[in-house]
Amino acid sequence: MPGAVLTLATLVLALAVAHLSLGGYLARVLTSDRHLAVERVVYRLSGVNPQSQQRWSTYAIACLALAVVSIALLTALVLLQGRLPLSSGESQSRTGALNTAVSFVTNTNWQSYGGETGASRLVQTLGLTIQNFVSAAVGIAVCAALIRGVARDGSGTVGNFWVDLTRVVVRVLLPVAAVGAVLLLAGGVIQNLDAPTTVGTLDGGQQQINGGLVASQEAIKLLGTNGGGYFNANSAHPFENPNAVTNLLEIFLILLIPFALPRTYGLMVGDRRQGWAVLGFMVTLWAAALTITTIAESREATGPLGGMEGKEVRFGIFGSALFATSTTGTSTGAVNSMHESYSPIGGGTLLLNMLLGEVSPGGVGSGMYGAFLLATLTVFLAGLMVGRTPELLGKRIGRREITCTSLALITAPALVLLGTGLALVVPASRAAVADDGAHGLTTMLYAFASASNNNGSAYAGLSADQPVLNLALATCMLLGRYLPVVLVLALAGSLAAQRRSPVTASSMPTHTPLFSGLMVGVALLVAGLTFLPALALGPLAEALS
């Protein structure tokens, strides 16, 4: 227990410092008029005018065009990896390659392949690592466009996608990931290009030991809330996560940018209190999930190994619960323990983290704009209850705004429920689930919740590498990412076109602890009404059995 308290206190202190420093730095990066020399070279080579401003539709088209090109190139790279350098026999099927490409481009990093056997060192480094940077930068760019929509007064523009993308990669992700990689390297994470070697085991068998540029990929995998592991065991592998110190560092990297963005939001809209309100909402959900998961797993420890099933002795129950809560509360999907081995309540809480839309604190960029959508819905509902015109920071929430908000919020639930239902009636996908009954339902529900919310973690009882599930989950990942992105940008454009109204005594305050509490209530209510029947048939039924 003292170790758990010290770990949590260290993490909270580090995140508090980062919230102030990195949050302010991100605001300066996204509002600066200055272009670095390397950025000007990128703009010149790509034919981008960095001074131009885009309407929301142009911003969205640029974002979608990048996704299409990225998916096509990454799919080709994965399919051709056997003919390229640094390959050791790794291969994927056509549907598997498409699933992998969609997964990494959408910041999901779902892996229906084994890390060591499905992706060569060239694919890991040139394909997957690059997409870890780009997909994370896209999320922050969309978030920046939405914040500008709130902050601007009748302009109708939301920024320049290519400028935002370049700045985030060059000024934020690259330097922070480089520092993170060096720290992970110092902690024992490997970084080499050694070919796989076969060694003997103590029982007379043989084992293949793989090398790779792991530290550099691990840093951006976590910082960008990506989650795809270099090895099949992901962050439970000692080459990716050797000890308790690196475990704490990796959790810090996961939460770093999502918990910093609320301050960026407050600074960019000119009211820091707004950022504190969103931060309070995120922290409340994250702390509640951590508490429930830790208690649930601790109570399972009735025998010598009880609650340690599926967990690493290096990390223990709290280190595993803290990692699992953070990774499912964001769009990371990395794991340092087997989520399927968690108790029904513990595993159900991790599932609920994703079903809430991953806003506790959510992925880089996506968590912040997801929280803003909930704030918009909260203002609208509260305005209806007290008879006030719904307004948020001087911008009226009318028919167009609430339509965009509602459609964005119901995208993932629709994909999760429809996808799970269809998968369970198709014999090929139903046969991929190892368990029957409530646990089998939870396994499939977890998979589609993970894909639709761009998380990427999975229960081990699902054999996902088969054509039906590869295509179904790829569809959910693609729609779960880009339908909300387009709707968020449409909301940003609508807000940017409005003239800001002065805040009066009749305006609803959106910076108070009461409003944060209302946001928590709306998030739980929306998820509860939508998913309660599925949860009752899955983890709740298993817990009561």
Side-chain angles (χ1 to χ4, degrees):
M1 183 61 69
V5 173
L6 179 60
T7 297
L8 185 59
T10 303
L11 177 64
V12 171
L13 178 61
L15 289 173
V17 173
H19 170 80
L20 296 174
S21 56
L22 182 59
Y25 176 68
L26 278 165
R28 292 192 295 274
V29 167
L30 296 172
T31 56
S32 174
D33 293 327
R34 188 172 64 93
H35 305 289
L36 301 182
V38 64
E39 295 169 352
R40 289 195 294 270
V41 171
V42 172
Y43 301 146
R44 190 175 298 113
L45 292 176
S46 55
V48 172
N49 177 9
Q51 305 304 325
S52 65
Q53 291 288 301
Q54 297 174 333
R55 302 183 67 83
W56 78 265
S57 54
T58 307
Y59 203 101
I61 290 172
C63 182
L64 295 176
L66 176 65
V68 171
V69 173
S70 297
I71 290 171
L73 291 177
L74 187 52
T75 301
L77 182 64
V78 173
L79 289 175
L80 295 173
Q81 61 181 322
R83 305 178 184 178
L84 300 174
L86 300 179
S87 176
S88 303
E90 299 88 356
S91 65
Q92 294 185 36
S93 65
R94 292 181 180 180
T95 59
L98 178 61
N99 181 285
T100 299
V102 171
S103 175
F104 278 80
V105 170
T106 58
N107 198 245
T108 309
N109 294 59
W110 171 275
Q111 293 175 285
S112 60
Y113 63 92
E116 301 96 324
T117 59
S120 69
R121 287 164 291 165
L122 181 67
V123 169
Q124 296 267 23
T125 304
L126 184 62
L128 307 187
T129 301
I130 288 177
Q131 284 306 318
N132 283 346
F133 279 97
V134 174
S135 64
V138 168
I140 298 176
V142 172
C143 176
L146 177 60
I147 297 173
R148 291 193 194 102
V150 179
R152 292 184 175 178
D153 193 3
S155 70
T157 59
V158 295
N160 187 306
F161 174 76
W162 305 111
V163 171
D164 289 338
L165 186 77
T166 304
R167 284 185 176 184
V168 170
V169 171
V170 171
R171 302 191 195 184
V172 181
L173 297 179
L174 276 172
V176 179
V179 174
V182 170
L183 293 176
L184 289 172
L185 192 61
V189 179
I190 67 169
Q191 181 82 352
N192 58 55
L193 280 174
D194 295 346
T197 57
T198 302
V199 299
T201 61
L202 294 176
D203 61 359
Q206 290 186 329
Q207 180 180 2
Q208 182 172 290
I209 304 297
N210 293 69
L213 300 175
V214 179
S216 55
Q217 181 165 322
E218 190 76 10
I220 187 57
K221 146 193 161 180
L222 300 164
L223 177 67
T225 61
N226 296 284
Y230 204 101
F231 300 99
N232 192 40
N234 208 284
S235 291
H237 198 291
F239 285 177
E240 289 195 31
N241 193 3
N243 51 60
V245 175
T246 57
N247 191 58
L248 179 59
L249 175 59
E250 293 188 5
I251 295 170
F252 172 74
L253 289 173
I254 290 172
L255 299 174
L256 177 59
I257 294 178
F259 272 136
L261 279 172
R263 179 168 175 81
T264 304
Y265 166 62
L267 292 173
M268 288 180 67
V269 299
D271 187 351
R272 298 181 184 182
R273 299 173 301 175
Q274 303 294 332
W276 288 114
V278 173
L279 180 65
F281 160 76
M282 292 178 170
V283 169
T284 299
L285 291 177
W286 178 77
L290 175 60
T291 301
I292 295 171
T293 304
T294 303
I295 292 174
E297 296 312 297
S298 298
R299 289 185 174 179
E300 285 290 306
T302 54
L305 291 178
M308 285 300 294
E309 180 189 342
K311 301 179 180 67
E312 284 286 328
V313 176
R314 291 173 292 154
F315 310 132
I317 289 177
F318 182 74
S320 301
L322 180 59
F323 198 105
T325 299
S326 300
T327 196
T328 54
T330 62
S331 63
T332 309
V335 294
N336 75 346
S337 56
M338 192 61 64
H339 290 185
E340 188 182 22
S341 293
Y342 279 57
S343 65
I345 296 300
T349 302
L350 303 181
L351 173 59
L352 182 61
N353 276 344
M354 296 186 296
L355 296 178
L356 289 175
E358 291 183 315
V359 289
S360 57
V364 286
S366 61
M368 183 62 235
Y369 65 67
F372 184 87
L373 292 173
L374 284 170
T376 303
L377 180 60
T378 302
V379 166
F380 183 78
L381 294 176
L384 292 179
M385 287 188 290
V386 299
R388 292 183 178 179
T389 300
E391 286 186 358
L392 183 59
L393 290 169
K395 299 297 181 73
R396 182 170 181 172
I397 308 301
R399 181 183 60 83
R400 178 179 174 82
E401 290 76 22
I402 199 60
T403 299
C404 291
T405 298
S406 301
L407 290 176
L409 289 174
I410 66 172
T411 295
L415 292 172
V416 171
L417 296 176
L418 288 174
T420 303
L422 290 173
L424 288 174
V425 300
V426 174
S429 55
R430 187 173 66 249
V433 182
D435 299 282
D436 295 324
H439 193 78
L441 173 60
T442 302
T443 298
M444 189 66 81
L445 181 65
Y446 192 104
F448 278 91
S450 179
S452 302
N453 289 284
N454 303 127
N455 181 274
S457 63
Y459 269 23
L462 180 68
S463 301
D465 189 15
Q466 48 111 327
V468 174
L469 281 178
N470 276 335
L471 295 176
L473 293 171
T475 301
C476 287
M477 288 186 277
L478 199 61
L479 296 178
R481 174 70 162 182
Y482 288 106
L483 276 181
V485 161
V486 171
L487 291 165
V488 164
L489 290 174
L491 175 62
S494 179
L495 294 174
Q498 290 188 37
R499 304 293 300 185
R500 176 172 288 185
S501 304
V503 177
T504 64
S506 63
S507 300
M508 180 177 298
T510 56
H511 59 268
T512 63
L514 175 60
F515 187 76
S516 295
L518 284 174
M519 286 181 63
V520 171
V522 169
L524 294 175
L525 183 64
V526 169
L529 291 176
T530 305
F531 295 109
L532 182 59
L535 292 173
L537 293 173
L540 293 178
E542 187 179 358
L544 295 173
S545 63

mmCIF file with all atom_site columns, all heavy atoms in Angstrom, residues 200-213:
data_model
loop_
_atom_site.group_PDB
_atom_site.id
_atom_site.type_symbol
_atom_site.label_atom_id
_atom_site.label_alt_id
_atom_site.label_comp_id
_atom_site.label_asym_id
_atom_site.label_entity_id
_atom_site.label_seq_id
_atom_site.pdbx_PDB_ins_code
_atom_site.Cartn_x
_atom_site.Cartn_y
_atom_site.Cartn_z
_atom_site.occupancy
_atom_site.B_iso_or_equiv
_atom_site.pdbx_formal_charge
_atom_site.auth_seq_id
_atom_site.auth_comp_id
_atom_site.auth_asym_id
_atom_site.auth_atom_id
_atom_site.pdbx_PDB_model_num
ATOM 1  N N   . GLY A 1 200 ? 18.615 -21.588 -26.625 1.00 0.00 ? 200 GLY A N   1
ATOM 2  C CA  . GLY A 1 200 ? 18.069 -22.724 -25.914 1.00 0.00 ? 200 GLY A CA  1
ATOM 3  C C   . GLY A 1 200 ? 17.418 -22.307 -24.613 1.00 0.00 ? 200 GLY A C   1
ATOM 4  O O   . GLY A 1 200 ? 17.795 -21.309 -23.994 1.00 0.00 ? 200 GLY A O   1
ATOM 5  N N   . THR A 1 201 ? 16.412 -23.055 -24.193 1.00 0.00 ? 201 THR A N   1
ATOM 6  C CA  . THR A 1 201 ? 15.734 -22.787 -22.924 1.00 0.00 ? 201 THR A CA  1
ATOM 7  C C   . THR A 1 201 ? 16.165 -23.827 -21.890 1.00 0.00 ? 201 THR A C   1
ATOM 8  O O   . THR A 1 201 ? 16.814 -24.828 -22.204 1.00 0.00 ? 201 THR A O   1
ATOM 9  C CB  . THR A 1 201 ? 14.206 -22.845 -23.099 1.00 0.00 ? 201 THR A CB  1
ATOM 10 O OG1 . THR A 1 201 ? 13.839 -24.166 -23.540 1.00 0.00 ? 201 THR A OG1 1
ATOM 11 C CG2 . THR A 1 201 ? 13.751 -21.829 -24.142 1.00 0.00 ? 201 THR A CG2 1
ATOM 12 N N   . LEU A 1 202 ? 15.806 -23.585 -20.649 1.00 0.00 ? 202 LEU A N   1
ATOM 13 C CA  . LEU A 1 202 ? 16.215 -24.464 -19.563 1.00 0.00 ? 202 LEU A CA  1
ATOM 14 C C   . LEU A 1 202 ? 15.636 -25.867 -19.692 1.00 0.00 ? 202 LEU A C   1
ATOM 15 O O   . LEU A 1 202 ? 16.213 -26.839 -19.199 1.00 0.00 ? 202 LEU A O   1
ATOM 16 C CB  . LEU A 1 202 ? 15.800 -23.852 -18.218 1.00 0.00 ? 202 LEU A CB  1
ATOM 17 C CG  . LEU A 1 202 ? 16.512 -22.545 -17.832 1.00 0.00 ? 202 LEU A CG  1
ATOM 18 C CD1 . LEU A 1 202 ? 15.944 -22.005 -16.523 1.00 0.00 ? 202 LEU A CD1 1
ATOM 19 C CD2 . LEU A 1 202 ? 18.022 -22.771 -17.706 1.00 0.00 ? 202 LEU A CD2 1
ATOM 20 N N   . ASP A 1 203 ? 14.478 -25.986 -20.334 1.00 0.00 ? 203 ASP A N   1
ATOM 21 C CA  . ASP A 1 203 ? 13.853 -27.307 -20.461 1.00 0.00 ? 203 ASP A CA  1
ATOM 22 C C   . ASP A 1 203 ? 14.276 -28.030 -21.735 1.00 0.00 ? 203 ASP A C   1
ATOM 23 O O   . ASP A 1 203 ? 13.683 -29.043 -22.118 1.00 0.00 ? 203 ASP A O   1
ATOM 24 C CB  . ASP A 1 203 ? 12.333 -27.183 -20.407 1.00 0.00 ? 203 ASP A CB  1
ATOM 25 C CG  . ASP A 1 203 ? 11.775 -26.330 -21.542 1.00 0.00 ? 203 ASP A CG  1
ATOM 26 O OD1 . ASP A 1 203 ? 12.579 -25.812 -22.355 1.00 0.00 ? 203 ASP A OD1 1
ATOM 27 O OD2 . ASP A 1 203 ? 10.535 -26.163 -21.613 1.00 0.00 ? 203 ASP A OD2 1
ATOM 28 N N   . GLY A 1 204 ? 15.288 -27.497 -22.420 1.00 0.00 ? 204 GLY A N   1
ATOM 29 C CA  . GLY A 1 204 ? 15.802 -28.143 -23.608 1.00 0.00 ? 204 GLY A CA  1
ATOM 30 C C   . GLY A 1 204 ? 15.166 -27.704 -24.904 1.00 0.00 ? 204 GLY A C   1
ATOM 31 O O   . GLY A 1 204 ? 15.540 -28.182 -25.974 1.00 0.00 ? 204 GLY A O   1
ATOM 32 N N   . GLY A 1 205 ? 14.201 -26.805 -24.840 1.00 0.00 ? 205 GLY A N   1
ATOM 33 C CA  . GLY A 1 205 ? 13.549 -26.303 -26.045 1.00 0.00 ? 205 GLY A CA  1
ATOM 34 C C   . GLY A 1 205 ? 14.314 -25.149 -26.662 1.00 0.00 ? 205 GLY A C   1
ATOM 35 O O   . GLY A 1 205 ? 15.469 -24.882 -26.328 1.00 0.00 ? 205 GLY A O   1
ATOM 36 N N   . GLN A 1 206 ? 13.658 -24.449 -27.592 1.00 0.00 ? 206 GLN A N   1
ATOM 37 C CA  . GLN A 1 206 ? 14.272 -23.303 -28.252 1.00 0.00 ? 206 GLN A CA  1
ATOM 38 C C   . GLN A 1 206 ? 13.324 -22.115 -28.215 1.00 0.00 ? 206 GLN A C   1
ATOM 39 O O   . GLN A 1 206 ? 12.102 -22.269 -28.230 1.00 0.00 ? 206 GLN A O   1
ATOM 40 C CB  . GLN A 1 206 ? 14.617 -23.632 -29.706 1.00 0.00 ? 206 GLN A CB  1
ATOM 41 C CG  . GLN A 1 206 ? 15.771 -24.625 -29.854 1.00 0.00 ? 206 GLN A CG  1
ATOM 42 C CD  . GLN A 1 206 ? 16.175 -24.802 -31.295 1.00 0.00 ? 206 GLN A CD  1
ATOM 43 O OE1 . GLN A 1 206 ? 15.355 -24.694 -32.217 1.00 0.00 ? 206 GLN A OE1 1
ATOM 44 N NE2 . GLN A 1 206 ? 17.458 -25.060 -31.524 1.00 0.00 ? 206 GLN A NE2 1
ATOM 45 N N   . GLN A 1 207 ? 13.899 -20.914 -28.153 1.00 0.00 ? 207 GLN A N   1
ATOM 46 C CA  . GLN A 1 207 ? 13.120 -19.685 -28.096 1.00 0.00 ? 207 GLN A CA  1
ATOM 47 C C   . GLN A 1 207 ? 13.763 -18.648 -29.003 1.00 0.00 ? 207 GLN A C   1
ATOM 48 O O   . GLN A 1 207 ? 14.995 -18.524 -29.037 1.00 0.00 ? 207 GLN A O   1
ATOM 49 C CB  . GLN A 1 207 ? 13.072 -19.160 -26.659 1.00 0.00 ? 207 GLN A CB  1
ATOM 50 C CG  . GLN A 1 207 ? 12.279 -17.866 -26.510 1.00 0.00 ? 207 GLN A CG  1
ATOM 51 C CD  . GLN A 1 207 ? 12.259 -17.379 -25.070 1.00 0.00 ? 207 GLN A CD  1
ATOM 52 O OE1 . GLN A 1 207 ? 12.866 -17.980 -24.190 1.00 0.00 ? 207 GLN A OE1 1
ATOM 53 N NE2 . GLN A 1 207 ? 11.561 -16.287 -24.829 1.00 0.00 ? 207 GLN A NE2 1
ATOM 54 N N   . GLN A 1 208 ? 12.937 -17.928 -29.737 1.00 0.00 ? 208 GLN A N   1
ATOM 55 C CA  . GLN A 1 208 ? 13.441 -16.868 -30.612 1.00 0.00 ? 208 GLN A CA  1
ATOM 56 C C   . GLN A 1 208 ? 13.425 -15.537 -29.888 1.00 0.00 ? 208 GLN A C   1
ATOM 57 O O   . GLN A 1 208 ? 12.397 -15.128 -29.353 1.00 0.00 ? 208 GLN A O   1
ATOM 58 C CB  . GLN A 1 208 ? 12.599 -16.780 -31.885 1.00 0.00 ? 208 GLN A CB  1
ATOM 59 C CG  . GLN A 1 208 ? 13.093 -15.714 -32.874 1.00 0.00 ? 208 GLN A CG  1
ATOM 60 C CD  . GLN A 1 208 ? 12.376 -15.764 -34.201 1.00 0.00 ? 208 GLN A CD  1
ATOM 61 O OE1 . GLN A 1 208 ? 12.543 -16.695 -34.987 1.00 0.00 ? 208 GLN A OE1 1
ATOM 62 N NE2 . GLN A 1 208 ? 11.545 -14.774 -34.455 1.00 0.00 ? 208 GLN A NE2 1
ATOM 63 N N   . ILE A 1 209 ? 14.565 -14.858 -29.868 1.00 0.00 ? 209 ILE A N   1
ATOM 64 C CA  . ILE A 1 209 ? 14.688 -13.553 -29.232 1.00 0.00 ? 209 ILE A CA  1
ATOM 65 C C   . ILE A 1 209 ? 14.745 -12.485 -30.312 1.00 0.00 ? 209 ILE A C   1
ATOM 66 O O   . ILE A 1 209 ? 15.630 -12.512 -31.174 1.00 0.00 ? 209 ILE A O   1
ATOM 67 C CB  . ILE A 1 209 ? 15.954 -13.468 -28.342 1.00 0.00 ? 209 ILE A CB  1
ATOM 68 C CG1 . ILE A 1 209 ? 15.952 -14.595 -27.304 1.00 0.00 ? 209 ILE A CG1 1
ATOM 69 C CG2 . ILE A 1 209 ? 16.041 -12.109 -27.666 1.00 0.00 ? 209 ILE A CG2 1
ATOM 70 C CD1 . ILE A 1 209 ? 14.808 -14.525 -26.328 1.00 0.00 ? 209 ILE A CD1 1
ATOM 71 N N   . ASN A 1 210 ? 13.808 -11.565 -30.288 1.00 0.00 ? 210 ASN A N   1
ATOM 72 C CA  . ASN A 1 210 ? 13.734 -10.513 -31.306 1.00 0.00 ? 210 ASN A CA  1
ATOM 73 C C   . ASN A 1 210 ? 14.308 -9.208  -30.775 1.00 0.00 ? 210 ASN A C   1
ATOM 74 O O   . ASN A 1 210 ? 14.159 -8.869  -29.605 1.00 0.00 ? 210 ASN A O   1
ATOM 75 C CB  . ASN A 1 210 ? 12.283 -10.271 -31.731 1.00 0.00 ? 210 ASN A CB  1
ATOM 76 C CG  . ASN A 1 210 ? 11.693 -11.456 -32.461 1.00 0.00 ? 210 ASN A CG  1
ATOM 77 O OD1 . ASN A 1 210 ? 11.453 -12.505 -31.873 1.00 0.00 ? 210 ASN A OD1 1
ATOM 78 N ND2 . ASN A 1 210 ? 11.459 -11.296 -33.747 1.00 0.00 ? 210 ASN A ND2 1
ATOM 79 N N   . GLY A 1 211 ? 14.945 -8.468  -31.665 1.00 0.00 ? 211 GLY A N   1
ATOM 80 C CA  . GLY A 1 211 ? 15.396 -7.120  -31.347 1.00 0.00 ? 211 GLY A CA  1
ATOM 81 C C   . GLY A 1 211 ? 14.569 -6.108  -32.109 1.00 0.00 ? 211 GLY A C   1
ATOM 82 O O   . GLY A 1 211 ? 13.582 -6.450  -32.760 1.00 0.00 ? 211 GLY A O   1
ATOM 83 N N   . GLY A 1 212 ? 14.962 -4.851  -32.037 1.00 0.00 ? 212 GLY A N   1
ATOM 84 C CA  . GLY A 1 212 ? 14.249 -3.817  -32.777 1.00 0.00 ? 212 GLY A CA  1
ATOM 85 C C   . GLY A 1 212 ? 14.439 -2.445  -32.176 1.00 0.00 ? 212 GLY A C   1
ATOM 86 O O   . GLY A 1 212 ? 15.000 -2.288  -31.080 1.00 0.00 ? 212 GLY A O   1
ATOM 87 N N   . LEU A 1 213 ? 13.983 -1.437  -32.895 1.00 0.00 ? 213 LEU A N   1
ATOM 88 C CA  . LEU A 1 213 ? 14.039 -0.056  -32.404 1.00 0.00 ? 213 LEU A CA  1
ATOM 89 C C   . LEU A 1 213 ? 12.838 0.167   -31.489 1.00 0.00 ? 213 LEU A C   1
ATOM 90 O O   . LEU A 1 213 ? 11.893 0.884   -31.820 1.00 0.00 ? 213 LEU A O   1
ATOM 91 C CB  . LEU A 1 213 ? 14.033 0.913   -33.586 1.00 0.00 ? 213 LEU A CB  1
ATOM 92 C CG  . LEU A 1 213 ? 15.203 0.754   -34.566 1.00 0.00 ? 213 LEU A CG  1
ATOM 93 C CD1 . LEU A 1 213 ? 15.034 1.684   -35.756 1.00 0.00 ? 213 LEU A CD1 1
ATOM 94 C CD2 . LEU A 1 213 ? 16.533 1.033   -33.872 1.00 0.00 ? 213 LEU A CD2 1
#
